[in-house]
PDB file of all heavy atoms in Angstrom:
ATOM      1  N   SER V 177      16.255  -9.925   8.100  1.00  0.00           N
ATOM      2  CA  SER V 177      16.352  -9.467   6.702  1.00  0.00           C
ATOM      3  C   SER V 177      15.060 -10.001   5.953  1.00  0.00           C
ATOM      4  O   SER V 177      14.484  -9.233   5.132  1.00  0.00           O
ATOM      5  CB  SER V 177      17.578  -9.913   5.957  1.00  0.00           C
ATOM      6  OG  SER V 177      18.676  -9.414   6.632  1.00  0.00           O
ATOM      7  N   SER V 178      14.737 -11.232   6.222  1.00  0.00           N
ATOM      8  CA  SER V 178      13.517 -11.755   5.561  1.00  0.00           C
ATOM      9  C   SER V 178      12.240 -11.042   5.982  1.00  0.00           C
ATOM     10  O   SER V 178      11.381 -10.710   5.205  1.00  0.00           O
ATOM     11  CB  SER V 178      13.387 -13.234   5.911  1.00  0.00           C
ATOM     12  OG  SER V 178      14.453 -13.952   5.372  1.00  0.00           O
ATOM     13  N   ILE V 179      12.122 -10.741   7.315  1.00  0.00           N
ATOM     14  CA  ILE V 179      10.968 -10.034   7.804  1.00  0.00           C
ATOM     15  C   ILE V 179      10.971  -8.641   7.257  1.00  0.00           C
ATOM     16  O   ILE V 179       9.895  -8.137   6.750  1.00  0.00           O
ATOM     17  CB  ILE V 179      10.997 -10.005   9.349  1.00  0.00           C
ATOM     18  CG1 ILE V 179      10.801 -11.402   9.902  1.00  0.00           C
ATOM     19  CG2 ILE V 179       9.979  -9.043   9.907  1.00  0.00           C
ATOM     20  CD1 ILE V 179      10.881 -11.571  11.403  1.00  0.00           C
ATOM     21  N   LEU V 180      12.100  -7.971   7.251  1.00  0.00           N
ATOM     22  CA  LEU V 180      12.203  -6.590   6.720  1.00  0.00           C
ATOM     23  C   LEU V 180      11.827  -6.626   5.231  1.00  0.00           C
ATOM     24  O   LEU V 180      11.067  -5.675   4.691  1.00  0.00           O
ATOM     25  CB  LEU V 180      13.533  -6.027   6.883  1.00  0.00           C
ATOM     26  CG  LEU V 180      13.768  -4.592   6.497  1.00  0.00           C
ATOM     27  CD1 LEU V 180      12.907  -3.658   7.192  1.00  0.00           C
ATOM     28  CD2 LEU V 180      15.244  -4.219   6.606  1.00  0.00           C
ATOM     29  N   GLY V 181      12.264  -7.594   4.418  1.00  0.00           N
ATOM     30  CA  GLY V 181      11.927  -7.729   2.989  1.00  0.00           C
ATOM     31  C   GLY V 181      10.444  -7.888   2.775  1.00  0.00           C
ATOM     32  O   GLY V 181       9.850  -7.334   1.888  1.00  0.00           O
ATOM     33  N   ALA V 182       9.823  -8.741   3.673  1.00  0.00           N
ATOM     34  CA  ALA V 182       8.416  -9.007   3.605  1.00  0.00           C
ATOM     35  C   ALA V 182       7.654  -7.701   3.838  1.00  0.00           C
ATOM     36  O   ALA V 182       6.594  -7.407   3.210  1.00  0.00           O
ATOM     37  CB  ALA V 182       8.042 -10.135   4.485  1.00  0.00           C
ATOM     38  N   VAL V 183       8.063  -6.939   4.849  1.00  0.00           N
ATOM     39  CA  VAL V 183       7.347  -5.737   5.097  1.00  0.00           C
ATOM     40  C   VAL V 183       7.482  -4.701   4.031  1.00  0.00           C
ATOM     41  O   VAL V 183       6.511  -4.066   3.646  1.00  0.00           O
ATOM     42  CB  VAL V 183       7.930  -5.091   6.468  1.00  0.00           C
ATOM     43  CG1 VAL V 183       7.442  -3.678   6.759  1.00  0.00           C
ATOM     44  CG2 VAL V 183       7.544  -5.981   7.608  1.00  0.00           C
ATOM     45  N   VAL V 184       8.614  -4.657   3.404  1.00  0.00           N
ATOM     46  CA  VAL V 184       8.847  -3.724   2.269  1.00  0.00           C
ATOM     47  C   VAL V 184       7.986  -4.149   1.063  1.00  0.00           C
ATOM     48  O   VAL V 184       7.311  -3.277   0.428  1.00  0.00           O
ATOM     49  CB  VAL V 184      10.354  -3.687   1.853  1.00  0.00           C
ATOM     50  CG1 VAL V 184      10.585  -2.987   0.597  1.00  0.00           C
ATOM     51  CG2 VAL V 184      11.224  -2.987   2.985  1.00  0.00           C
ATOM     52  N   VAL V 185       8.003  -5.395   0.803  1.00  0.00           N
ATOM     53  CA  VAL V 185       7.122  -5.889  -0.299  1.00  0.00           C
ATOM     54  C   VAL V 185       5.634  -5.585   0.009  1.00  0.00           C
ATOM     55  O   VAL V 185       4.947  -5.186  -0.916  1.00  0.00           O
ATOM     56  CB  VAL V 185       7.335  -7.440  -0.490  1.00  0.00           C
ATOM     57  CG1 VAL V 185       6.280  -7.997  -1.422  1.00  0.00           C
ATOM     58  CG2 VAL V 185       8.763  -7.633  -1.131  1.00  0.00           C
ATOM     59  N   TYR V 186       5.208  -5.797   1.194  1.00  0.00           N
ATOM     60  CA  TYR V 186       3.843  -5.529   1.606  1.00  0.00           C
ATOM     61  C   TYR V 186       3.541  -4.087   1.454  1.00  0.00           C
ATOM     62  O   TYR V 186       2.477  -3.661   0.857  1.00  0.00           O
ATOM     63  CB  TYR V 186       3.564  -5.918   2.991  1.00  0.00           C
ATOM     64  CG  TYR V 186       2.187  -5.549   3.546  1.00  0.00           C
ATOM     65  CD1 TYR V 186       1.038  -6.251   3.161  1.00  0.00           C
ATOM     66  CD2 TYR V 186       2.025  -4.422   4.354  1.00  0.00           C
ATOM     67  CE1 TYR V 186      -0.228  -5.791   3.563  1.00  0.00           C
ATOM     68  CE2 TYR V 186       0.788  -3.995   4.848  1.00  0.00           C
ATOM     69  CZ  TYR V 186      -0.325  -4.717   4.439  1.00  0.00           C
ATOM     70  OH  TYR V 186      -1.509  -4.292   4.849  1.00  0.00           O
ATOM     71  N   LEU V 187       4.371  -3.145   1.853  1.00  0.00           N
ATOM     72  CA  LEU V 187       4.176  -1.738   1.771  1.00  0.00           C
ATOM     73  C   LEU V 187       4.141  -1.352   0.295  1.00  0.00           C
ATOM     74  O   LEU V 187       3.376  -0.493  -0.135  1.00  0.00           O
ATOM     75  CB  LEU V 187       5.206  -0.936   2.514  1.00  0.00           C
ATOM     76  CG  LEU V 187       5.063  -1.081   4.074  1.00  0.00           C
ATOM     77  CD1 LEU V 187       6.232  -0.378   4.778  1.00  0.00           C
ATOM     78  CD2 LEU V 187       3.708  -0.532   4.494  1.00  0.00           C
ATOM     79  N   VAL V 188       5.097  -1.839  -0.499  1.00  0.00           N
ATOM     80  CA  VAL V 188       5.165  -1.504  -1.885  1.00  0.00           C
ATOM     81  C   VAL V 188       3.883  -1.952  -2.609  1.00  0.00           C
ATOM     82  O   VAL V 188       3.396  -1.210  -3.513  1.00  0.00           O
ATOM     83  CB  VAL V 188       6.427  -2.147  -2.543  1.00  0.00           C
ATOM     84  CG1 VAL V 188       6.351  -2.112  -4.070  1.00  0.00           C
ATOM     85  CG2 VAL V 188       7.708  -1.478  -2.066  1.00  0.00           C
ATOM     86  N   LEU V 189       3.361  -3.086  -2.195  1.00  0.00           N
ATOM     87  CA  LEU V 189       2.156  -3.505  -2.896  1.00  0.00           C
ATOM     88  C   LEU V 189       0.913  -2.893  -2.410  1.00  0.00           C
ATOM     89  O   LEU V 189      -0.177  -2.784  -3.094  1.00  0.00           O
ATOM     90  CB  LEU V 189       2.032  -5.075  -2.816  1.00  0.00           C
ATOM     91  CG  LEU V 189       3.135  -5.835  -3.557  1.00  0.00           C
ATOM     92  CD1 LEU V 189       2.943  -7.381  -3.347  1.00  0.00           C
ATOM     93  CD2 LEU V 189       3.050  -5.571  -4.995  1.00  0.00           C
ATOM     94  N   SER V 190       0.874  -2.572  -1.173  1.00  0.00           N
ATOM     95  CA  SER V 190      -0.453  -2.089  -0.544  1.00  0.00           C
ATOM     96  C   SER V 190      -0.573  -0.617  -0.445  1.00  0.00           C
ATOM     97  O   SER V 190      -1.667  -0.054  -0.568  1.00  0.00           O
ATOM     98  CB  SER V 190      -0.508  -2.707   0.894  1.00  0.00           C
ATOM     99  OG  SER V 190       0.411  -2.152   1.755  1.00  0.00           O
ATOM    100  N   VAL V 191       0.490   0.175  -0.348  1.00  0.00           N
ATOM    101  CA  VAL V 191       0.433   1.617  -0.282  1.00  0.00           C
ATOM    102  C   VAL V 191      -0.264   2.241  -1.531  1.00  0.00           C
ATOM    103  O   VAL V 191      -1.120   3.049  -1.398  1.00  0.00           O
ATOM    104  CB  VAL V 191       1.751   2.238   0.066  1.00  0.00           C
ATOM    105  CG1 VAL V 191       1.730   3.777  -0.096  1.00  0.00           C
ATOM    106  CG2 VAL V 191       2.129   1.872   1.478  1.00  0.00           C
ATOM    107  N   PRO V 192       0.165   1.879  -2.693  1.00  0.00           N
ATOM    108  CA  PRO V 192      -0.564   2.378  -3.948  1.00  0.00           C
ATOM    109  C   PRO V 192      -2.003   2.049  -3.930  1.00  0.00           C
ATOM    110  O   PRO V 192      -2.793   2.919  -4.404  1.00  0.00           O
ATOM    111  CB  PRO V 192       0.235   1.736  -5.079  1.00  0.00           C
ATOM    112  CG  PRO V 192       1.535   1.393  -4.549  1.00  0.00           C
ATOM    113  CD  PRO V 192       1.278   1.022  -3.133  1.00  0.00           C
ATOM    114  N   ASN V 193      -2.333   0.905  -3.472  1.00  0.00           N
ATOM    115  CA  ASN V 193      -3.763   0.526  -3.451  1.00  0.00           C
ATOM    116  C   ASN V 193      -4.523   1.358  -2.421  1.00  0.00           C
ATOM    117  O   ASN V 193      -5.624   1.822  -2.708  1.00  0.00           O
ATOM    118  CB  ASN V 193      -3.941  -0.974  -3.023  1.00  0.00           C
ATOM    119  CG  ASN V 193      -3.549  -1.923  -4.144  1.00  0.00           C
ATOM    120  OD1 ASN V 193      -3.476  -1.513  -5.294  1.00  0.00           O
ATOM    121  ND2 ASN V 193      -3.296  -3.135  -3.813  1.00  0.00           N
ATOM    122  N   ASP V 194      -3.878   1.611  -1.299  1.00  0.00           N
ATOM    123  CA  ASP V 194      -4.582   2.488  -0.269  1.00  0.00           C
ATOM    124  C   ASP V 194      -4.736   3.922  -0.822  1.00  0.00           C
ATOM    125  O   ASP V 194      -5.808   4.521  -0.560  1.00  0.00           O
ATOM    126  CB  ASP V 194      -3.747   2.519   1.009  1.00  0.00           C
ATOM    127  CG  ASP V 194      -3.838   1.263   1.839  1.00  0.00           C
ATOM    128  OD1 ASP V 194      -4.765   0.465   1.639  1.00  0.00           O
ATOM    129  OD2 ASP V 194      -2.884   0.987   2.647  1.00  0.00           O
ATOM    130  N   LEU V 195      -3.659   4.405  -1.501  1.00  0.00           N
ATOM    131  CA  LEU V 195      -3.772   5.769  -2.005  1.00  0.00           C
ATOM    132  C   LEU V 195      -4.878   5.871  -3.097  1.00  0.00           C
ATOM    133  O   LEU V 195      -5.649   6.772  -3.114  1.00  0.00           O
ATOM    134  CB  LEU V 195      -2.443   6.164  -2.609  1.00  0.00           C
ATOM    135  CG  LEU V 195      -1.296   6.289  -1.552  1.00  0.00           C
ATOM    136  CD1 LEU V 195      -0.013   6.712  -2.232  1.00  0.00           C
ATOM    137  CD2 LEU V 195      -1.685   7.348  -0.550  1.00  0.00           C
ATOM    138  N   LYS V 196      -4.817   4.896  -4.005  1.00  0.00           N
ATOM    139  CA  LYS V 196      -5.919   4.828  -5.040  1.00  0.00           C
ATOM    140  C   LYS V 196      -7.270   4.748  -4.493  1.00  0.00           C
ATOM    141  O   LYS V 196      -8.222   5.414  -4.899  1.00  0.00           O
ATOM    142  CB  LYS V 196      -5.605   3.714  -6.006  1.00  0.00           C
ATOM    143  CG  LYS V 196      -6.624   3.460  -7.153  1.00  0.00           C
ATOM    144  CD  LYS V 196      -6.552   4.655  -8.111  1.00  0.00           C
ATOM    145  CE  LYS V 196      -7.471   4.404  -9.233  1.00  0.00           C
ATOM    146  NZ  LYS V 196      -7.740   5.460 -10.094  1.00  0.00           N
ATOM    147  N   ALA V 197      -7.466   3.815  -3.496  1.00  0.00           N
ATOM    148  CA  ALA V 197      -8.768   3.672  -2.897  1.00  0.00           C
ATOM    149  C   ALA V 197      -9.242   4.904  -2.138  1.00  0.00           C
ATOM    150  O   ALA V 197     -10.398   5.267  -2.199  1.00  0.00           O
ATOM    151  CB  ALA V 197      -8.735   2.447  -1.927  1.00  0.00           C
ATOM    152  N   ASP V 198      -8.254   5.606  -1.561  1.00  0.00           N
ATOM    153  CA  ASP V 198      -8.579   6.877  -0.841  1.00  0.00           C
ATOM    154  C   ASP V 198      -9.032   7.887  -1.809  1.00  0.00           C
ATOM    155  O   ASP V 198      -9.996   8.697  -1.521  1.00  0.00           O
ATOM    156  CB  ASP V 198      -7.407   7.360  -0.007  1.00  0.00           C
ATOM    157  CG  ASP V 198      -7.156   6.543   1.245  1.00  0.00           C
ATOM    158  OD1 ASP V 198      -8.120   5.875   1.742  1.00  0.00           O
ATOM    159  OD2 ASP V 198      -6.028   6.546   1.792  1.00  0.00           O
ATOM    160  N   SER V 199      -8.434   8.052  -2.930  1.00  0.00           N
ATOM    161  CA  SER V 199      -8.761   8.972  -3.955  1.00  0.00           C
ATOM    162  C   SER V 199     -10.154   8.668  -4.548  1.00  0.00           C
ATOM    163  O   SER V 199     -10.924   9.611  -4.757  1.00  0.00           O
ATOM    164  CB  SER V 199      -7.741   9.115  -4.998  1.00  0.00           C
ATOM    165  OG  SER V 199      -7.739   7.996  -5.858  1.00  0.00           O
ATOM    166  N   MET V 200     -10.355   7.411  -4.775  1.00  0.00           N
ATOM    167  CA  MET V 200     -11.761   6.974  -5.209  1.00  0.00           C
ATOM    168  C   MET V 200     -12.801   7.326  -4.203  1.00  0.00           C
ATOM    169  O   MET V 200     -13.927   7.717  -4.496  1.00  0.00           O
ATOM    170  CB  MET V 200     -11.715   5.541  -5.596  1.00  0.00           C
ATOM    171  CG  MET V 200     -10.980   5.146  -6.830  1.00  0.00           C
ATOM    172  SD  MET V 200     -10.872   3.428  -7.169  1.00  0.00           S
ATOM    173  CE  MET V 200     -12.541   3.030  -7.679  1.00  0.00           C
ATOM    174  N   MET V 201     -12.450   7.132  -2.911  1.00  0.00           N
ATOM    175  CA  MET V 201     -13.458   7.437  -1.814  1.00  0.00           C
ATOM    176  C   MET V 201     -13.709   8.930  -1.788  1.00  0.00           C
ATOM    177  O   MET V 201     -14.936   9.346  -1.622  1.00  0.00           O
ATOM    178  CB  MET V 201     -12.798   6.961  -0.515  1.00  0.00           C
ATOM    179  CG  MET V 201     -13.795   7.004   0.649  1.00  0.00           C
ATOM    180  SD  MET V 201     -15.113   5.856   0.342  1.00  0.00           S
ATOM    181  CE  MET V 201     -16.188   6.274   1.736  1.00  0.00           C
ATOM    182  N   LYS V 202     -12.695   9.726  -1.974  1.00  0.00           N
ATOM    183  CA  LYS V 202     -12.956  11.200  -2.022  1.00  0.00           C
ATOM    184  C   LYS V 202     -13.900  11.583  -3.226  1.00  0.00           C
ATOM    185  O   LYS V 202     -14.715  12.443  -3.065  1.00  0.00           O
ATOM    186  CB  LYS V 202     -11.612  11.988  -2.120  1.00  0.00           C
ATOM    187  CG  LYS V 202     -10.801  11.920  -0.828  1.00  0.00           C
ATOM    188  CD  LYS V 202      -9.510  12.679  -1.000  1.00  0.00           C
ATOM    189  CE  LYS V 202      -8.664  12.536   0.223  1.00  0.00           C
ATOM    190  NZ  LYS V 202      -7.296  13.179   0.086  1.00  0.00           N
ATOM    191  N   ASP V 203     -13.599  10.976  -4.351  1.00  0.00           N
ATOM    192  CA  ASP V 203     -14.508  11.171  -5.500  1.00  0.00           C
ATOM    193  C   ASP V 203     -15.960  10.821  -5.213  1.00  0.00           C
ATOM    194  O   ASP V 203     -16.914  11.565  -5.566  1.00  0.00           O
ATOM    195  CB  ASP V 203     -14.001  10.457  -6.737  1.00  0.00           C
ATOM    196  CG  ASP V 203     -12.725  11.020  -7.275  1.00  0.00           C
ATOM    197  OD1 ASP V 203     -12.339  12.169  -6.929  1.00  0.00           O
ATOM    198  OD2 ASP V 203     -12.067  10.234  -8.048  1.00  0.00           O
TER     199      ASP V 203
END
C-alpha cells in the first residue's frame, strides 16, 4: 500500500509537468 501510494503521488506530481513540458516543447 505504501509503494502504491508513493507511485500514485509520483504520477500525480509528475504527469502534469510532463504534459506541460511537452506542450512547451511543441511550441
Side-chain angles (χ1 to χ4, degrees):
S177 297
S178 298
I179 292 173
L180 183 61
V183 168
V184 168
V185 167
Y186 173 76
L187 290 175
V188 166
L189 294 177
S190 67
V191 169
N193 288 342
D194 287 338
L195 294 176
K196 178 68 176 168
D198 287 339
S199 70
M200 288 175 73
M201 189 67 187
K202 287 179 186 176
D203 290 343

